[in-house]
Amino acid sequence: MISNSLGQYEYNSYYKPYIDNASDKNIVKGLKQNLDAVVSFYLNIPKLKHDFSYAKGKWTVKDVLHHVIDTERIFAYRALRIARQDKTPLAGFEQDDYVMNGKTKYRSLYSLIEEYKSVRQATISLYSSFDFNELEQIGEASGFPISVRALGYIISGHENHHNQVIKQRYL
């Protein structure tokens, strides 16, 4: 388990399932593996499922991917600020507001996949630039300590979590 290689002081326990669901102990390798896997996964979802939600009030497949993209952007931004030793506490975000205002019903799944690929390439570049000391930097986000490396694992594990949910409830 990846969480066993992190100190408990590096993340809020809420994130442990995501960290443990990360693709690889090497953050950049895991992000690269997920890039191909996630793109392939979404490309293979039948078109009639793109706007499907499994229950009233639940997100559609496109909403889920948009949520993954937004969350990655936010977590990569947090990682950048913390790596650069910005000590300003970082606010949380309301994921449901982001999804509600994401306007995915006006977008194709393919446009979201292209956006995902761009965001992921930027995250890979960012994490490739971090050295050991930057990965170990700890800041505060959503009222809790978080390390740059924990954020990298969370990005990977978070999207793996949502892919599993789609497989179980949408397909």
Side-chain angles (χ1 to χ4, degrees):
M1 286 186 158
I2 292 174
S3 62
N4 291 342
S5 65
L6 295 173
Q8 289 183 338
Y9 57 89
E10 291 187 62
Y11 61 94
N12 180 326
S13 62
Y14 169 84
Y15 293 114
K16 185 179 185 310
Y18 297 132
I19 291 168
D20 287 339
N21 208 14
S23 294
D24 197 282
K25 188 169 171 116
N26 179 301
I27 295 168
V28 172
K29 183 178 175 186
L31 291 170
K32 288 178 179 179
Q33 288 171 352
N34 274 26
L35 173 59
D36 294 333
V38 169
V39 168
S40 176
F41 175 73
Y42 279 95
L43 284 174
N44 284 300
I45 294 175
K47 188 170 174 79
L48 64 100
K49 294 285 188 172
H50 294 183
D51 290 302
F52 173 77
S53 63
Y54 66 90
K56 185 171 174 56
K58 296 297 183 182
W59 298 344
T60 67
V61 168
K62 291 189 311 190
D63 290 337
V64 172
L65 180 55
H66 198 253
H67 163 71
V68 166
I69 294 165
D70 283 349
T71 301
E72 180 164 338
R73 278 191 168 114
I74 290 165
F75 282 30
Y77 171 73
R78 289 175 176 181
L80 172 64
R81 288 189 58 180
I82 294 167
R84 301 296 188 257
Q85 299 185 33
D86 182 341
K87 301 298 183 198
T88 308
L90 302 169
F93 69 102
E94 179 48 59
Q95 65 182 12
D96 291 321
D97 290 344
Y98 278 67
V99 171
M100 184 173 57
N101 293 297
K103 299 182 175 101
T104 60
K105 68 182 177 181
Y106 303 112
R107 296 189 59 189
S108 71
L109 182 67
Y110 307 106
S111 74
L112 291 165
I113 291 169
E114 289 303 310
E115 183 179 354
Y116 167 81
K117 291 183 333 188
S118 296
V119 170
R120 176 49 51 91
Q121 287 294 351
T123 302
I124 290 169
S125 294
L126 178 65
Y127 269 87
S128 294
S129 77
F130 291 150
D131 64 23
F132 179 79
N133 290 330
E134 289 168 317
L135 289 170
E136 297 241 318
Q137 290 297 317
I138 296 176
E140 182 183 319
S142 302
F144 294 94
I146 190 81
S147 71
V148 173
R149 66 183 182 161
L151 286 162
Y153 294 132
I154 293 165
I155 290 168
S156 174
H158 176 254
E159 68 188 357
N160 289 339
H161 160 77
H162 281 292
N163 289 354
Q164 291 166 357
V165 170
I166 288 173
K167 286 176 189 174
Q168 293 167 355
R169 297 184 182 167
Y170 291 77
L171 302 179

